[in-house]
Amino acid sequence: MYKGYSDEELVELLKQGKDKAFDELYFRYRDLLVRFVYLRMKSVPVSEEIVQEVFTTIWERRKTIVIQKSFAAYIYTSVRYTTLDHIKSHTVTDQYIQEVLDRNPVSFNSHNATEDSIYYDELQIAVDKVAALLPKKSKEVFILSRIKHYSNKEIADELNVSIDTVKYHITYALKFMRTYLGEFN
């Protein structure tokens, strides 16, 4: 129905609530975006999930969406940032899992491979859930501190906050994760 329309015309129709215009944009860009995300994520389901998340956000904000340049630039930028957020989230998860494994007295060796695998899988699921609950600023400080290995001063300078604020967020993030993941500590 809208195949001959430009992206800009489709966006205007989308703002008016025309769901078929949204469908056309979705089918026009979906496969390209999934391939784009796949280059970084190496997982089709994760790539599809990220693209779906971006399109869901567009649909939810359809009446107020503001596109400065082209829809293509807008959608690719949105997908790129959503992918980076996904990577950051999982980097926090992986970092915390490594910290738990380093502290945990359970020895990971071949004769307990099944038990170790189950423990790790359970820990991964639990940390994913907790990391998603972590407040944005605490997660951001935690990433800079534990993953990028910034000093507290470097974090304070980067985020334009005090060193005490940085210390607070690091302490908060660690306590938060330990509280929710008590059975793994």
Side-chain angles (χ1 to χ4, degrees), residues 73-162:
Y74 177 86
I75 194 81
Y76 275 95
T77 301
S78 297
V79 166
R80 191 174 103 241
Y81 283 120
T82 304
T83 302
L84 292 174
D85 286 345
H86 183 85
I87 291 169
K88 282 181 190 176
S89 170
H90 282 79
T91 302
V92 168
T93 299
D94 294 343
Q95 176 69 21
Y96 189 78
I97 286 173
Q98 190 58 51
E99 286 182 20
V100 169
L101 293 176
D102 290 347
R103 285 192 320 263
N104 198 307
V106 174
S107 65
F108 286 83
N109 55 47
S110 60
H111 70 273
N112 286 331
T114 302
E115 185 178 319
D116 295 346
S117 176
I118 291 169
Y119 177 84
Y120 181 82
D121 290 346
E122 288 175 354
L123 179 59
Q124 178 74 48
I125 290 166
V127 172
D128 282 343
K129 287 179 181 176
V130 175
L133 298 173
L134 199 59
K136 184 178 180 179
K137 187 60 87 175
S138 294
K139 187 187 300 184
E140 188 175 13
V141 169
F142 186 81
I143 288 168
L144 292 173
S145 172
R146 295 300 194 263
I147 294 155
K148 295 188 176 181
H149 306 290
Y150 281 31
S151 69
N152 287 355
K153 174 145 181 35
E154 290 171 325
I155 296 169
D157 292 344
E158 171 106 0
L159 300 177
N160 199 25
V161 296
S162 72

Side-chain angles (χ1 to χ4, degrees), residues 1-112:
M1 176 178 200
Y2 291 109
K3 285 204 183 293
Y5 286 69
S6 71
D7 290 351
E8 289 69 28
E9 291 170 322
L10 291 171
V11 169
E12 286 306 312
L13 291 168
L14 173 64
K15 287 180 180 181
Q16 297 168 19
K18 306 286 187 193
D19 58 343
K20 297 294 183 197
F22 173 81
D23 292 346
E24 178 61 30
L25 286 168
Y26 178 80
F27 290 117
R28 194 174 281 186
Y29 284 95
R30 181 194 176 282
D31 292 341
L32 295 169
L33 293 169
V34 168
R35 282 194 291 275
F36 176 73
V37 175
Y38 181 81
L39 292 173
R40 191 175 281 265
M41 301 305 297
K42 304 298 185 221
S43 167
V44 172
V46 170
S47 300
E48 289 173 340
E49 178 184 329
I50 289 169
V51 170
Q52 186 66 38
E53 181 180 333
V54 170
F55 273 105
T56 299
T57 301
I58 289 171
W59 177 254
E60 290 169 348
R61 296 179 181 168
R62 67 189 174 276
K63 292 182 180 174
T64 59
I65 195 169
V66 176
I67 297 175
Q68 300 293 331
K69 295 183 179 184
S70 68
F71 180 77
Y74 177 86
I75 194 81
Y76 275 95
T77 301
S78 297
V79 166
R80 191 174 103 241
Y81 283 120
T82 304
T83 302
L84 292 174
D85 286 345
H86 183 85
I87 291 169
K88 282 181 190 176
S89 170
H90 282 79
T91 302
V92 168
T93 299
D94 294 343
Q95 176 69 21
Y96 189 78
I97 286 173
Q98 190 58 51
E99 286 182 20
V100 169
L101 293 176
D102 290 347
R103 285 192 320 263
N104 198 307
V106 174
S107 65
F108 286 83
N109 55 47
S110 60
H111 70 273
N112 286 331

